[in-house]
Amino acid sequence: MPRRDLRRADQLRPVRIERGYQRYPAGSALIEMGHTRVLCAATVEERVPFFLKGTGTGWVTAEYSMLPGAGTERTAREAMRGHQTGRTQEIQRLIGRALRAVVDTQALGERTIHIDCDVLQADGGTRTASITGAFVALVEACATFYTKHGVFPVRDYVAAVSVGVSAENTPLLDICYEEDSAAMVDMNLVMTGAGAFVEVQGTGEGRSFSRTEMNVLLDLGEHGIRELIDHQKTALGTVLSWLPGREG
């Protein structure tokens, strides 16, 4: 069965990343993947959590939220409920882990970088889009205090994508909400530019899956992530794209 948007099984949705989307944060990016849109902002704070004071190392933390009108039906703001859902906590921890995987906390110094990811419109893949867009905001923020000839705090690129197996047993890259809700297998992958895995979240939704199928999904996801990293480099431009991994 052809995909709703007529994409190939191994094709990403249209991707657009606009760096410097907000005026006041040290770094920001609006990422669009199909109909999913996430605004990512990075704010630099010249202090660290109490458990890192005096260590000379920094910290990266993330918050995630979905605006009331992001989906087909309005959802109440979590602040009105007085607590975050388990899903929200899981996603923001994932974003933080993904970014810290490529950050040199010694080079960061005793600074905290707060990453805020706000979903403006959701059509599947909001957590993976958040990671991919947040990386661009993170690099832009680190560039504001980077000292020439020093070690740039971001060591490598990192991006994320969703993959899945359809009801027709077809492996699919970058699944939208409609495909996700009907998928037999659903998986989120986070990988670095060097090809190392940061996170693999795979679930048999409609049935179990084999090691062979898992390998196919991993290869499909790696293909998509390499393409997303190219989009990150384009968004960062010639001024910033060369900074990740720079020493001296």
Side-chain angles (χ1 to χ4, degrees):
M1 179 181 293
R3 305 181 78 170
R4 180 184 67 178
D5 51 11
L6 303 180
R7 283 183 291 147
R8 300 188 312 273
D10 64 348
Q11 187 176 4
L12 292 172
R13 291 174 288 180
V15 179
R16 185 174 78 93
I17 306 175
E18 183 178 345
R19 179 173 67 83
Y21 192 78
Q22 288 180 282
R23 178 175 182 177
Y24 298 111
S28 65
L30 175 69
I31 180 168
E32 300 180 4
M33 296 188 66
H35 295 299
T36 291
R37 296 173 185 168
V38 185
L39 178 58
C40 307
T43 305
V44 181
E45 187 177 24
E46 296 293 330
R47 60 179 180 176
V48 292
F50 72 93
F51 60 87
L52 289 175
K53 286 184 178 179
T55 63
T57 61
W59 188 245
V60 177
T61 186
E63 293 186 16
Y64 167 96
S65 68
M66 188 174 294
L67 296 187
T72 55
E73 296 182 3
R74 185 187 187 277
T75 56
R77 297 180 191 273
E78 292 184 344
M80 297 298 292
R81 301 174 186 165
H83 68 279
Q84 291 180 317
T85 65
R87 176 182 181 274
T88 295
Q89 294 179 32
E90 174 205 352
I91 292 174
Q92 59 193 28
R93 288 170 183 159
L94 170 64
I95 297 167
R97 285 196 304 271
L99 298 177
R100 289 194 297 272
V102 294
V103 168
D104 183 336
T105 54
Q106 287 289 138
L108 189 59
E110 290 201 16
R111 297 181 179 90
T112 299
I113 299 183
H114 297 274
I115 303 292
D116 292 292
C117 297
D118 291 292
V119 179
L120 307 181
Q121 188 166 278
D123 185 28
T126 61
R127 73 187 66 194
T128 53
S130 294
I131 292 167
T132 303
F135 175 83
V136 174
L138 173 67
V139 172
E140 187 176 49
C142 288
T144 63
F145 59 82
Y146 169 64
T147 303
K148 191 175 181 181
H149 305 306
V151 176
F152 192 69
V154 182
R155 298 175 298 189
D156 195 3
Y157 281 79
V158 68
V161 76
S162 61
V163 290
V165 177
S166 72
E168 294 76 33
N169 294 316
T170 303
L172 301 175
L173 175 65
D174 188 20
I175 55 180
C176 65
Y177 176 77
E178 182 179 324
E179 293 169 333
D180 186 15
S181 60
M184 294 292 100
V185 181
D186 178 22
M187 187 176 292
N188 296 304
L189 303 177
V190 186
M191 294 183 70
T192 68
F197 290 106
V198 177
E199 192 112 5
V200 179
Q201 299 178 337
T203 305
E205 300 282 1
R207 62 168 175 80
S208 58
F209 55 98
S210 68
R211 174 69 67 86
T212 299
E213 286 178 306
M214 181 172 181
N215 289 340
V216 170
L217 292 176
L218 294 178
D219 289 342
L220 193 60
E222 181 176 6
H223 162 74
I225 285 172
R226 294 202 178 282
E227 188 174 336
L228 287 170
I229 289 174
D230 287 339
H231 283 286
Q232 289 174 327
K233 291 178 178 179
T234 299
L236 288 168
T238 55
V239 175
L240 299 181
S241 61
W242 60 277
L243 287 175
R246 182 171 180 80
E247 298 183 9

